[in-house]
Amino acid sequence: DYKVDEKKLKEVFKLAGKVVSAELSLDKEGKSRGFGVVEYEHPVEAVQAICILNKFFIYYRIFYTENEF
């Protein structure tokens, strides 16, 4: 959802493990482009996030997770 900020993104993705960084892609005006990148301490945590958080509802919208190794 476009209302999600980096703090909320990190908070949600901490459910799967220790988040090293969470960054949203922003447009020229500083508004969210609707996607971001989350980095975990261990690859296993990233796999957990994909499994746990794919199609997860946040602010009445569905989040989709992908593996981009």
Side-chain angles (χ1 to χ4, degrees):
D1 191 301
Y2 299 99
K3 297 176 191 171
V4 173
D5 58 12
E6 289 180 354
K7 181 180 176 183
K8 184 66 172 179
L9 185 68
K10 191 171 186 175
E11 176 186 320
V12 169
F13 278 80
K14 281 184 357 183
L15 294 170
K18 185 172 182 183
V19 175
V20 174
S21 67
E23 297 179 15
L24 290 173
S25 181
L26 304 176
D27 66 15
K28 292 178 184 179
E29 297 173 1
K31 296 180 184 177
S32 173
R33 295 176 61 202
F35 66 93
V37 176
V38 177
E39 182 181 355
Y40 286 94
E41 190 169 277
H42 298 289
V44 169
E45 295 168 329
V47 172
Q48 288 178 161
I50 292 167
C51 294
I52 294 169
L53 299 172
N54 192 39
K55 298 182 182 176
F56 190 80
F57 277 92
I58 300 176
Y59 295 125
Y60 306 105
R61 290 195 58 184
I62 298 175
F63 262 44
Y64 292 96
T65 57
E66 295 179 5
N67 179 354
E68 293 289 329
F69 291 111

